[in-house]
Amino acid sequence: MRRLASREELEKLREELRGKMEKIERWVAVCSGPGCHVHGSGEVAQAFLKEVEAQGLGDKVKVRATGCHGFCEVGPVAVIFPERYCYTRIRVEDVPRIVSTTLKEGEVVEDLLYVDETTGKKVLRDEDIPYYKFQHRLLLGQHLEIDPEDIGDYIAAGGYSALAKALFDMKPEEIIEEVKAARLRGRGGGGFPAGIKWETTRNAPGDPKYVIVNADEGDPGAYMDRGILEGNPHSVLEGLIIGAIAIGSPQGFVYVRQEYPIAVKNMQRAIDQAREIGLLGENILGSDFSFDVKIHMGAGAFVSGESSALMTAIEGKVGEPRPKYIRTAVKGVWDKPSNLNNVETWANVPLIINNGAKWYTTIGTDNSKGTKIFSLVGKVKNTGLVEVPMGVTLRKIIFDIGGGIRGNKKFKAVQTGGPSGGVIPESLLGIAVDYDELDQVGSMMGSGGMIVMDEDTCMVDVARYYVNFLSDESCGKCVPCREGLRQASRILERICAGKGKEGDIELLEELGSFMRDASLCALGRTAANPVLSTIKYFRGEYEAHILEGKCPAKVCKELISYFIDPARCKACGQCVRVCPVDAISGGKGLVHIIDQDKCVRCGSCFAVCPDKFRAVVKLSGEPVPEVAPGTKIRKKAKGEKKCRK
Amino acid sequence: MQKVTLEIDGLKVSVEEGKSVLDAAKKAGVPIPTLCYHDELEPFGACRFCMVEIIRGNRKRLVASCVYPAEDGLVVRTNTDRVKEIRRMIIELLLPLAPAGPLRELARRYGVKRSRFESEDMQPTHCTLCGMCVRYCSEVVKYDAVSFVGRGVSKAVALTPEAQDQCVFCRKCYTICEAGRFPMLAEEYSV
Ligand SMILES: Cc1cc2nc3c(=O)[nH]c(=O)nc-3n(C[C@H](O)[C@H](O)[C@H](O)COP(=O)(O)O)c2cc1C
Ligand code: SF4
Ligand code: FES
């Protein structure tokens, strides 16, 4: 493609690209996001390309391997346009049928449609699937139109028009005013107003100024930023260039963890393509504005995502938070004013510039505008990336979009905000999801991780998991965070092992408030959230561990026993065979018995006992009943119902 | 150089802009206890023992005085109840690591009779990770013969084997270490 020397040339290119698209009768978006990829979408996309050629549809049909559509649970998914027919769980063998039936004839392949669990009906179009119906996919929706490796797709879809507008129709101050008026808040954690940060950086003394994308994404289980970088890197790049114009920065950085090779690759390609056609580099679109971007690969430590640690890492040093009380917007990389925003924050910028702050503020709540992407994982039926307007309730996300809890279990809590977020119990599912409401209940928005937990989850164990994660991931520099986490972990391990003491809960609370007040950076200041919020909402569960030696969810190994119910055992012998320590005795026709002294509580017998018997049960906080060796198994009585609760 | 005037525990004091609250307190003659601060080194901000309460308008905040810049009109309280609680907790948390060093004396001074965290299964490392040795080597001697390794609760101080030929045997690391770790470390590496 040629170098664009003016806005008019960009528009001309866009017309040409769109003109080419007009000959296309149908196109298919094969999701190649992280979730679908694991399910084999790579082969599916290849099969589409081959099959379209084989059936001679090469000039009428376009195949795109796109970024994440969101509904990872049922992947690989593909959507066929213009009808928007949506197929789920596609296998390579299904592709020829899809090509000959849908892409060629516009007919539906019925058996590949999504079936709505509640109505039992098949759903034709992606937008009518309940999972998508309640979303507002401002960002993720773009993925369906774009091959992330092709800047042409992005431009044809309207890309870089916001850049042209910012460059030629607006003064830098006006761009900042627009972002301020849109009340865009940072999507990476704190929810700081982006426009105000931009203004601070612009007005701070010192040159050059830097603009930076935070794509460290260190929360376990979260992949919103990865989804965007892989699926629509140009949207982030366009936002970053607009920010650079507003702030007056000649140099940008994308800080991305090296564990995201496809994100790195797609972003690098996006940068190269943009530079090649004059959207980056000297005199962008023929203007007198010059700007370029470098990718910085990080080692993916959780703490490197903290702003000052990230900037230290860009300087080539160990990524540790700085103790200085001076904002990175004023003194950041090499002590120069540096504006850091999250991937998703940047991706919102072109939308705001194109459609205006007035439009943007119609979406969301009073204090939180626009949409937010969550990575919905854990014990929900529908896992994936979910983009909703700020202010929908947690219940809507988990039950209407997520489809509720897997396996007929009961909801227990949802953890939001990443490792230093908090858990939220059922009684608060009605709260609106925005920055302030989540803060108020002791959790936070964080970057958008959302882990759903069912009744089989032990909340002390959950706190222990996060504290141990943070103990390893903290930089270890300051005493409150490092030693506070070390001791919190020891106390929690103790409680989970049934050795908790009276006073442990209060000590944890004291440690938590100390860490919040005294730690150097936000990691330590928020690290006690998982502990404090589980104590706040599930104190009884802590007490049961400490006072009664009981783990109510029957998770903590040292506090449970496995027992074979003599009324249910059918002497099938499967448990005897899997027990690694030969703790189970019993012969043909005899009730099997676990020797509690030998049992190491690995749970193998529990897992292997056939569902129709479910004779192995977990006990906690109660004595294991004695069963006399040689007890005969119970034969099914006449008329006995097979059901159990 | 521009001067700023602040109030520390009721005393007014003026210092050059860019100085820390700790510097200003020294000038005013108000003692603020520290663990990781050293005159010859850049402030490190890691022990948090120097925390004080600052008041701006009606907002109170706890900050580490060795790194917080002295600002005009700032009101500082160095000995509030919360500040003392924080210091006591730091002592309790560090005692199991370095029971032999100057912490015992501090514990007495702050009325910490016993650390709730001391237990038989926690072996003292004799190191509070104040980083004096590491920082002295890199900031003053300008070598990296001593460095931090690991992160989080596994963080430790180590001699850098590859950098040993840089060592000028100034031995400052031996004397700067108050917690007792350094001589042991040197022995482990047999230098
Ligand atoms: C321990 C820690 C880890 C963080 N990790 C990330 C991260 O992975 N991605 C991110 O965007 N922000 C992360 N943040 C928040 C950043 O410090 C910073 O606030 C954010 O990148 C600013 O961008 P925003 O205003 O657009 O959210 C982290 C903060 C802390 C304290
Ligand atoms: S709070 Fe934790 S991560 Fe932050 S500086 Fe202190 S030790 Fe490092
Ligand atoms: S003296 Fe250690 S943090 Fe200030």
Side-chain angles (χ1 to χ4, degrees):
Chain A
M1 263 185 262
R2 59 184 185 268
R3 210 183 145 81
L4 305 170
S6 68
R7 180 185 207 168
E8 290 66 37
E9 288 186 26
L10 171 66
E11 291 313 320
K12 218 171 119 218
L13 174 65
R14 199 188 315 282
E15 285 315 307
E16 278 171 35
L17 291 163
R18 284 180 177 167
K20 271 191 214 154
M21 288 290 293
E22 266 163 25
K23 298 192 194 81
I24 304 287
E25 286 171 12
R26 266 194 194 85
W27 59 101
V28 52
V30 186
C31 179
S32 304
C36 286
H37 187 80
V38 173
H39 289 124
S41 66
E43 290 78 30
V44 172
Q46 282 306 317
F48 265 109
L49 284 169
K50 233 173 74 196
E51 198 57 34
V52 164
E53 279 310 314
Q55 299 195 21
L57 298 169
D59 47 0
K60 288 196 217 139
V61 165
K62 184 161 170 79
V63 179
R64 283 194 186 95
T66 73
C68 181
H69 298 186
F71 203 176
C72 311
E73 183 73 35
V74 295
V77 294
V79 180
I80 291 169
F81 290 85
E83 292 89 349
R84 294 201 80 115
Y85 293 151
C86 177
Y87 297 141
T88 58
R89 299 191 210 278
I90 301 170
R91 293 158 308 165
V92 170
E93 308 87 271
D94 299 323
V95 172
R97 288 192 293 149
I98 301 177
V99 173
S100 58
T101 316
T102 313
L103 285 174
K104 199 167 171 187
E105 308 292 345
E107 302 290 324
V108 179
V109 181
E110 292 276 340
D111 59 301
L112 292 174
L113 291 173
Y114 177 78
V115 181
D116 183 342
E117 209 181 275
T118 45
T119 60
K121 288 210 176 102
K122 289 186 173 142
V123 185
L124 271 181
R125 293 152 32 98
D126 66 335
E127 294 168 328
D128 298 328
I129 295 176
Y131 182 80
Y132 290 127
K133 201 161 68 187
F134 300 107
Q135 298 192 38
H136 192 59
R137 295 190 293 157
L138 281 182
L139 298 175
L140 293 178
Q142 296 176 33
H143 290 189
L144 280 81
E145 299 174 55
I146 292 167
D147 172 352
E149 297 189 1
D150 182 1
I151 192 173
D153 272 3
Y154 185 68
I155 292 175
Y160 289 108
S161 55
L163 169 63
K165 185 171 172 187
L167 209 47
F168 300 108
D169 302 342
M170 297 169 91
K171 291 202 207 67
E173 292 82 356
E174 288 171 345
I175 303 174
I176 291 180
E177 280 316 312
E178 199 68 32
V179 175
K180 271 164 83 179
R183 288 194 269 155
L184 173 64
R185 294 175 68 172
R187 303 296 196 242
F192 193 82
I196 294 178
K197 200 193 298 187
W198 290 19
E199 192 169 49
T200 306
T201 314
R202 177 173 177 83
N203 295 336
D207 276 304
K209 302 180 200 303
Y210 299 107
V211 286
I212 308 167
V213 181
N214 190 344
D216 187 56
E217 198 160 60
D219 307 11
Y223 58 106
M224 307 69 57
D225 296 345
R226 175 179 174 188
I228 297 178
L229 276 192
E230 287 186 8
N232 196 1
H234 285 287
S235 66
V236 180
L237 193 55
E238 186 177 3
L240 185 68
I241 307 172
I242 294 170
I245 300 169
I247 288 163
S249 162
Q251 178 68 53
F253 295 98
V254 180
Y255 185 96
V256 52
R257 53 172 45 221
Q258 61 191 20
E259 288 86 344
Y260 282 179
I262 300 175
V264 172
K265 189 185 91 196
N266 288 3
M267 192 68 203
Q268 187 62 58
R269 190 190 297 254
I271 291 172
D272 293 343
Q273 289 179 345
R275 195 183 291 125
E276 196 184 310
I277 66 169
L279 295 169
L280 271 182
E282 300 287 314
N283 304 100
I284 292 174
L285 287 177
S287 71
D288 53 13
F289 179 73
S290 304
F291 173 72
D292 216 326
V293 183
K294 263 201 215 104
I295 292 186
H296 185 103
M297 276 195 270
F302 178 64
V303 68
S304 323
E306 192 276 335
S307 49
S308 68
L310 183 146
M311 306 221 177
T312 317
I314 288 181
E315 292 173 4
K317 299 183 227 150
V318 179
E320 266 183 15
R322 296 175 189 167
K324 297 277 165 63
Y325 287 90
I326 188 148
R327 275 165 300 162
T328 46
V330 178
K331 275 190 179 185
V333 182
W334 293 294
D335 277 349
K336 302 295 180 199
S338 305
N339 183 91
L340 175 71
N341 281 119
N342 169 260
V343 169
E344 196 180 330
T345 316
W346 288 118
N348 270 287
V349 171
L351 292 173
I352 293 171
I353 297 301
N354 265 334
N355 303 305
K358 211 167 158 194
W359 163 80
Y360 195 76
T361 50
T362 59
I363 309 162
T365 61
D366 277 356
N367 294 313
S368 305
K369 298 296 179 194
T371 61
K372 176 78 195 87
I373 304 179
F374 291 97
S375 125
L376 185 64
V377 297
K379 298 294 167 62
V380 272
K381 286 192 184 134
N382 305 328
T383 58
L385 293 183
V386 171
E387 183 176 358
V388 285
M390 299 272 189
V392 303
T393 62
L394 280 168
R395 182 170 280 114
K396 188 148 203 128
I397 298 179
I398 296 166
F399 289 91
D400 295 343
I401 297 174
I405 308 300
R406 263 170 217 267
N408 289 321
K409 295 277 179 182
K410 268 187 17 216
F411 171 90
K412 182 160 188 180
V414 56
Q415 211 272 354
T416 74
S420 43
V423 299
I424 299 171
E426 172 145 37
S427 59
L428 293 171
L429 280 181
I431 64 163
V433 175
D434 73 7
Y435 292 97
D436 309 309
E437 295 259 322
L438 287 173
D439 266 0
Q440 234 166 44
V441 300
S443 186
M444 55 184 190
M445 180 77 84
S447 54
M450 199 172 269
I451 304 173
V452 179
M453 300 169 181
D454 68 8
E455 56 189 318
D456 291 339
T457 318
C458 166
M459 298 324 267
V460 187
D461 183 58
V462 166
R464 180 181 70 135
Y465 169 81
Y466 287 112
V467 163
N468 286 345
F469 174 85
L470 292 167
S471 304
D472 292 335
E473 292 293 319
S474 123
C475 82
K477 174 170 175 168
C478 76
V479 173
C481 171
R482 185 190 68 236
E483 298 308 323
L485 284 167
R486 192 194 312 274
Q487 295 302 340
S489 159
R490 289 166 55 88
I491 298 169
L492 290 164
E493 291 287 353
R494 184 158 89 207
I495 299 177
C496 289
K499 296 180 188 136
K501 296 188 289 215
E502 267 188 70
D504 275 352
I505 302 178
E506 291 73 17
L507 187 53
L508 284 171
E509 288 174 320
E510 195 184 329
L511 269 176
S513 91
F514 159 77
M515 289 165 68
R516 180 174 293 171
D517 282 351
S519 292
L520 187 159
C521 83
L523 188 151
R525 284 201 294 271
T526 55
N529 280 346
V531 182
L532 296 176
S533 65
T534 46
I535 293 179
K536 183 171 176 190
Y537 298 118
F538 299 94
R539 197 178 186 103
E541 219 166 304
Y542 279 80
E543 287 165 349
H545 282 73
I546 298 170
L547 304 175
E548 301 165 45
K550 175 177 177 178
C551 174
K554 303 197 178 93
V555 171
C556 295
K557 231 173 147 178
E558 325 276 337
L559 295 179
I560 55 170
S561 325
Y562 288 92
F563 169 66
I564 302 177
D565 186 346
R568 295 219 188 93
C569 179
K570 294 288 178 280
C572 71
Q574 297 206 44
C575 56
V576 179
R577 284 192 287 278
V578 295
C579 178
V581 291
D582 291 331
I584 307 177
S585 59
K588 210 171 163 216
L590 299 180
V591 166
H592 294 0
I593 299 168
I594 300 176
D595 179 343
Q596 296 298 327
D597 294 333
K598 275 193 188 168
C599 172
V600 291
R601 304 183 187 98
C602 67
S604 305
C605 51
F606 184 80
V608 81
C609 185
D611 267 353
K612 55 182 188 241
F613 307 152
R614 293 218 210 152
V616 182
V617 292
K618 288 196 239 179
L619 304 175
S620 182
E622 54 185 302
V624 181
E626 287 291 336
V627 179
T631 306
K632 292 220 169 54
I633 61 163
R634 196 170 138 212
K635 294 271 179 320
K636 205 197 284 173
K638 248 194 191 154
E640 186 185 2
K641 283 203 185 121
K642 265 174 92 181
C643 74
R644 51 168 258 122
K645 56 167 182 134
Chain B
M1 224 353 162
Q2 200 145 351
K3 289 259 180 184
V4 293
T5 302
L6 55 165
E7 188 202 304
I8 305 180
D9 290 349
L11 297 171
K12 283 235 182 316
V13 59
S14 298
V15 290
E16 278 167 20
E17 196 172 16
K19 293 281 180 193
S20 68
V21 167
L22 181 65
D23 294 331
K26 276 195 182 146
K27 191 167 174 210
V30 176
I32 297 178
T34 62
L35 291 175
C36 71
Y37 181 81
H38 192 282
D39 281 341
E40 290 176 69
L41 305 175
E42 286 288 311
F44 195 46
C47 72
R48 318 306 277 176
F49 208 64
C50 66
M51 288 205 106
V52 296
E53 211 162 280
I54 56 168
I55 302 152
R56 278 198 155 282
N58 49 14
R59 274 198 60 205
K60 276 195 207 163
R61 214 177 134 195
L62 289 153
V63 299
S65 61
C66 67
V67 277
Y68 196 86
E71 294 163 350
D72 224 16
L74 197 68
V75 175
V76 182
R77 298 273 177 270
T78 71
N79 243 328
T80 63
D81 288 346
R82 186 62 182 144
V83 165
K84 281 188 274 189
E85 270 169 24
I86 285 175
R87 291 191 191 139
R88 276 199 287 270
M89 185 58 105
I90 294 172
I91 294 171
E92 278 198 74
L93 285 168
L94 289 179
L95 266 176
L97 298 180
L103 283 163
R104 282 273 173 237
E105 172 50 33
L106 279 175
R108 236 186 318 276
R109 181 146 36 110
Y110 281 88
V112 178
K113 291 202 184 67
R114 180 184 80 81
S115 164
R116 285 168 286 179
F117 306 113
E118 272 179 307
S119 91
E120 270 164 26
D121 57 339
M122 247 197 98
Q123 286 299 318
T125 56
H126 303 288
C127 176
T128 60
L129 293 162
C130 68
M132 297 257 197
C133 51
V134 176
R135 289 144 62 210
Y136 193 88
C137 194
S138 86
E139 289 176 30
V140 180
V141 191
K142 305 241 181 282
Y143 290 130
D144 290 310
V146 197
S147 52
F148 285 118
V149 290
R151 67 166 182 248
V153 291
S154 319
K155 195 180 190 109
V157 167
L159 301 187
T160 329
E162 318 85 69
Q164 286 315 300
D165 50 350
Q166 293 181 346
C167 177
V168 292
F169 296 98
C170 71
R171 301 250 160 198
K172 185 70 180 180
C173 42
Y174 283 72
T175 52
I176 208 170
C177 176
E178 293 196 325
R181 171 73 182 140
F182 212 81
M184 300 165 61
L185 185 70
E187 206 160 276
E188 278 167 33
Y189 283 82
S190 58
V191 278

